[in-house]
Amino acid sequence: MQSKQDLIVKNAIMSKISKTDGLTNLYNQVSFKDYYDTAFDYASQGVTLHLALLDIDNFKLINDTYGHQVGDKVLGTVAQIIQDHISSSDIAARYGGEEFALLIFDKTFDEAYALVENIRRHLSLLHWAELDNQTVTISIGLHSCEPGLNKEQLFEQVDQYLYHAKRSGKNKTITSHSVGSIA
């Protein structure tokens, strides 16, 4: 009986390890893609879904100037701030490097926008002793799932908004409401 319980615990631990990013404890990219597929299916049945991509501004400079240990601390803190702001029904993942992805459910667009803006503002107000008391900022792209968009188009649109935020000054959230359609 004890070895069966040990096996169950080991399997649960291995399952968690395979689905999460070890540094941030958020879901990893592979898990995110699975959740995104499922979420998009639900959205096609009427569930409200918003996708956000968040990217730490000037992260390479942080790593190059202060070292990877400080960079890792920044990643962990950003992940914690994201976790602290989202609801239990939302899904947060480290999508890659310094980029995070959020699936936001059961909120209006304005509520989803307020959520990501709260994350952005909260982070921008922190002063980091490890960074000579400087701040860290993020840029965000946000878009809602809507009829006529497939999951690839939704992701691409959000990615374009994120890069528009980066190119237009960083530390901001870009949506269809803030720029219209970006070609």
Side-chain angles (χ1 to χ4, degrees):
M1 184 61 115
Q2 181 64 36
S3 39
K4 187 174 184 177
Q5 288 175 335
D6 289 346
L7 185 59
I8 291 169
V9 168
K10 285 180 184 177
N11 283 340
I13 291 169
M14 291 305 293
S15 177
K16 179 173 173 43
I17 289 171
S18 71
K19 292 179 180 181
T20 57
D21 174 67
L23 180 62
T24 62
N25 291 318
L26 298 178
Y27 288 110
N28 60 28
Q29 186 183 84
V30 172
S31 294
F32 173 80
K33 288 179 178 180
D34 290 341
Y35 286 119
Y36 183 52
D37 290 345
T38 303
F40 201 86
D41 289 343
Y42 287 142
S44 67
Q45 299 169 22
V47 172
T48 303
L49 171 67
H50 313 281
L51 172 64
L53 294 177
L54 302 78
D55 190 83
I56 301 172
D57 297 326
N58 306 311
F59 188 72
K60 182 179 180 337
L61 183 62
I62 292 169
N63 272 340
D64 290 350
T65 305
Y66 299 97
H68 291 279
Q69 285 183 322
V70 172
D72 287 352
K73 182 170 184 178
V74 169
L75 287 168
T77 301
V78 170
Q80 188 60 57
I81 290 169
I82 291 169
Q83 282 287 65
D84 290 347
H85 282 82
I86 64 173
S87 72
S88 59
S89 64
D90 300 328
I91 294 173
R94 181 177 178 198
Y95 196 75
E98 67 274 10
E99 189 171 33
F100 300 87
L102 291 179
L103 296 173
I104 304 166
F105 299 94
D106 301 324
K107 290 177 180 63
T108 65
F109 176 83
D110 290 340
E111 291 168 333
Y113 180 80
L115 183 149
V116 297
E117 271 293 288
N118 284 338
I119 292 169
R120 187 190 62 74
R121 267 192 287 231
H122 183 94
L123 180 62
S124 71
L125 295 173
L126 291 179
H127 290 268
W128 297 71
E130 303 86 351
L131 302 174
D132 299 326
N133 212 32
Q134 295 181 72
T135 60
V136 172
T137 60
I138 56 175
S139 296
I140 304 170
L142 171 69
H143 198 65
S144 303
C145 185
E146 53 192 29
L149 278 181
N150 64 38
K151 65 184 176 192
E152 291 81 12
Q153 291 168 325
L154 175 60
F155 196 93
E156 179 60 32
Q157 187 65 65
V158 173
D159 203 36
Q160 286 180 21
Y161 292 157
L162 170 62
Y163 284 104
H164 183 71
K166 292 286 212 187
R167 287 188 304 266
S168 64
K170 303 178 182 172
N171 191 27
K172 61 177 72 173
T173 300
I174 298 292
T175 73
S176 61
H177 298 272
S178 55
V179 296
S181 180
I182 297 174

